[in-house]
Each structure stands twice: as structure tokens, then as C-alpha cells.
Amino acid sequence: MKVLVAVKRVVDYNVKVRPKSDGSDVDLANVKMSINPFCEIAVEEAVRLKEKGVATEVVAVSLGEKVCQEQIRTALALGADRGILVETSEKLQPLAVAKLLKGIVEKESPDLVILGKQAIDDDNNQTGQMLAALTGMSQGTFASEVVIEDGKAQVTREIDGGLQTVSLNLPAVVTTDLRLNEPRYASLPNIMKAKKKPLDTLTPEELGVDVTSKVKMLSVEPPAERQAGVKVETVAELVEKLKTEAKVL
Ligand code: AMP
């Protein structure tokens, strides 16, 4: 069974993001970049499937600038077998990503595609669903457990109010939720070994996909600063302030 994992390069989750001074975008100058945390969980799940003897090959895919190779190498150090970079300098929207991944699915014919439920930079939560729709594959989103048996994927999903288990025909698209697993750290020997693993590069043109963005970003602003609170001595004072200052009563 072949597993394809999509890994996105994003600002590290420990970094406090700041807009550029002209508000045109997030400032990425000298900012630490990492694999999107949900994609790290996706890699871990694929590697565990390989360790269990369920998967035979894990292929990590990233789409974006050449530097995305770093995140593919991290996925290789965590246990993926080979990588594919779709290189483009275009700012990719989820639909373009889904179309490019569809192109790779057609080339690679994986039995399972695992993506993060969302990328923590744009918070779209769209790509997995779009990929499933474009390819006609079954989908199990927000997975907290994935079991492959009898040629099917049993996916436990985190939904409002509890857990839902769905049985998917393969090939299928699964997106990861936080509780699916706890990703391992890459060991130094594995980081060294990852440098020798194969990494192919493709272009959107080779996959026949027009990645021109249909969405224009108008501005990026930090959230409004929270005002300091005040302490009141009595309930009467609170009610008074709610009436006269907050004007909510
Ligand atoms: P999103 O729909 O943008 O929130 O992203 C959901 C998931 O799609 C991510 O966790 C990745 O697995 C995948 N994805 C989105 N953009 C990219 C990208 N540029 N390269 C690789 N994977 C991506």
C-alpha cells in the first residue's frame, strides 16, 4: 500500500507572527519555518502504517518555493521514503494545491493520501476536502484514529458532540486532527540518512495545472490590542459601569 503525505511549509507555531509595515502580507523575513503541525501528524501516521507492515512506501509532497525541500527532508528524516516538490513561486490557494495534488495522485496512484486538517498559516481547512472531490476518492476528515483492514480505512472523526467512525473504500483521503498521534522527533542519524533519499521536482506546468490565484489579499492586520480590565469593589459599582460605561444594560 502506497501512502502520499502532503507537508506544508509554514511559520513555526512558536513564532509570534507580525504583518509587514505596509500591511501587504505577513512578514516572513528571518522567521523560523517548519512543517505545519497537522502535516507532521500526517507523516507520523503514514510512518506508523509502514512500521506495522500495512504501508509499503511513504511519499512526502510539498508545493511551493524551492525552500520547501527543507520540510520534505524533515518528513524523510521522520521516516518517509522519498519526496516530491512541486516548485512554484505563486502564492497557492487550496484549490490550486488540490489540483496539483490530484496531478500527483494520477501519477503515483496512492492507496491513501494523508493531509493535515488545516494549515496553521492560512487556516483554510479546505485542501483535503477539495482533493477528495476532484479525485472522487472517499474522505475521512478530522481523524483521531485510522485503522486499515480488509481493504478499507476505518476512520474515527472528531465531530461536534463526540466521535464518528466511517468506513472508507480505498483509495481515500484522510485529514489529521490533533489527537491522532504524537509525532516523533527526527534523530540525527535519520536526518543524515534523509539527505540521501530521492527527492524529485515537478512544476505546475508539467502537471497541467494553472495555479494563478483567484483570490487577492487586500491587507493583513494584527488583532486589536486588548484593553486592560478594571476591578470593581461592589456589585452595585459593576452594574453602574455596565450601564454607563459599557452600555450593555
Ligand atoms: P489548508 O486547506 O490550506 O488549511 O491545508 C490543509 C492541508 O493541505 C495541509 O495540512 C497540508 O497537508 C495540505 N497543504 C496545503 N497547502 C499545501 C502546500 N503548499 N504543500 C503541501 N501540502 C499542502
Side-chain angles (χ1 to χ4, degrees), residues 6-8 36 39 61-63 97 115-116 118-119 124-127:
V7 293
K8 187 174 186 190
N36 179 48
C39 303
V61 187
S62 194
L63 303 82
V97 175
L115 303 90
Q118 80 191 52
N124 284 314
N125 181 355
Q126 295 173 357
T127 311

Side-chain angles (χ1 to χ4, degrees), residues 81-163:
D81 298 292
R82 63 187 169 91
I84 302 175
L85 167 70
V86 180
E87 194 177 336
T88 173
S89 52
E90 192 73 34
K91 217 168 162 25
L92 296 173
Q93 297 295 323
L95 185 56
V97 175
K99 285 180 181 171
L100 292 169
L101 288 175
K102 176 176 181 254
I104 294 179
V105 165
E106 283 164 1
K107 266 179 168 295
E108 295 281 338
S109 306
D111 302 283
L112 191 62
V113 185
I114 315 182
L115 303 90
K117 74 166 178 182
Q118 80 191 52
I120 60 163
D121 51 1
D122 292 333
D123 273 349
N124 284 314
N125 181 355
Q126 295 173 357
T127 311
Q129 295 88 327
M130 286 177 170
L131 176 64
L134 291 175
T135 56
M137 286 195 267
S138 27
Q139 61 173 303
T141 48
F142 314 113
S144 63
E145 192 181 357
V146 177
V147 179
I148 309 289
E149 54 188 17
D150 305 329
K152 290 191 188 266
Q154 312 288 347
V155 178
T156 305
R157 309 182 55 236
E158 303 219 356
I159 57 168
D160 283 354
L163 298 173

Side-chain angles (χ1 to χ4, degrees), residues 228-241:
V230 279
K231 270 193 181 165
V232 290
E233 299 294 330
T234 62
V235 173
E237 193 186 341
L238 173 65
V239 171
E240 179 62 20
K241 280 191 183 297

Side-chain angles (χ1 to χ4, degrees), residues 2-245:
K2 190 194 273 192
V3 185
L4 199 73
V5 187
V7 293
K8 187 174 186 190
R9 176 185 171 88
V10 296
V11 173
D12 188 89
Y13 71 95
N14 287 306
V15 172
K16 190 175 184 318
V17 288
R18 264 187 289 265
K20 287 182 178 174
S21 53
D22 63 359
S24 60
D25 205 341
V26 171
D27 190 355
L28 296 182
N30 303 316
V31 166
K32 180 171 188 264
M33 305 295 284
S34 297
I35 288 192
N36 179 48
F38 292 106
C39 303
E40 223 175 341
I41 295 173
V43 175
E44 177 66 32
E45 196 62 18
V47 172
R48 287 188 191 187
L49 286 173
K50 195 174 167 205
E51 287 169 345
K52 280 188 210 149
V54 177
T56 45
E57 191 183 28
V58 176
V59 184
V61 187
S62 194
L63 303 82
E65 308 254 3
K66 202 181 186 82
V67 278
C68 295
Q69 283 186 352
E70 291 171 17
Q71 280 60 47
I72 297 178
R73 290 282 171 213
T74 306
L76 297 175
L78 292 170
D81 298 292
R82 63 187 169 91
I84 302 175
L85 167 70
V86 180
E87 194 177 336
T88 173
S89 52
E90 192 73 34
K91 217 168 162 25
L92 296 173
Q93 297 295 323
L95 185 56
V97 175
K99 285 180 181 171
L100 292 169
L101 288 175
K102 176 176 181 254
I104 294 179
V105 165
E106 283 164 1
K107 266 179 168 295
E108 295 281 338
S109 306
D111 302 283
L112 191 62
V113 185
I114 315 182
L115 303 90
K117 74 166 178 182
Q118 80 191 52
I120 60 163
D121 51 1
D122 292 333
D123 273 349
N124 284 314
N125 181 355
Q126 295 173 357
T127 311
Q129 295 88 327
M130 286 177 170
L131 176 64
L134 291 175
T135 56
M137 286 195 267
S138 27
Q139 61 173 303
T141 48
F142 314 113
S144 63
E145 192 181 357
V146 177
V147 179
I148 309 289
E149 54 188 17
D150 305 329
K152 290 191 188 266
Q154 312 288 347
V155 178
T156 305
R157 309 182 55 236
E158 303 219 356
I159 57 168
D160 283 354
L163 298 173
Q164 179 192 60
T165 304
V166 291
S167 176
L168 310 177
N169 290 333
L170 298 179
V173 174
V174 166
T175 71
T176 62
D177 215 321
L178 208 56
R179 275 162 287 271
L180 180 58
N181 61 49
E182 217 174 284
R184 70 195 69 189
Y185 290 100
S187 67
L188 193 57
N190 285 344
I191 294 173
M192 300 312 285
K193 271 189 226 155
K195 292 186 200 261
K196 296 208 178 87
K197 291 187 180 176
L199 198 171
D200 293 328
T201 303
L202 295 169
T203 60
E205 293 73 38
E206 283 170 304
L207 293 169
V209 178
D210 175 9
V211 292
T212 320
S213 181
K214 295 182 175 59
V215 177
K216 190 172 164 203
M217 174 138 60
L218 299 179
S219 68
V220 176
E221 292 162 28
E225 294 270 334
R226 282 186 70 175
Q227 303 292 322
V230 279
K231 270 193 181 165
V232 290
E233 299 294 330
T234 62
V235 173
E237 193 186 341
L238 173 65
V239 171
E240 179 62 20
K241 280 191 183 297
L242 288 174
K243 273 188 187 156
T244 55
E245 289 180 25

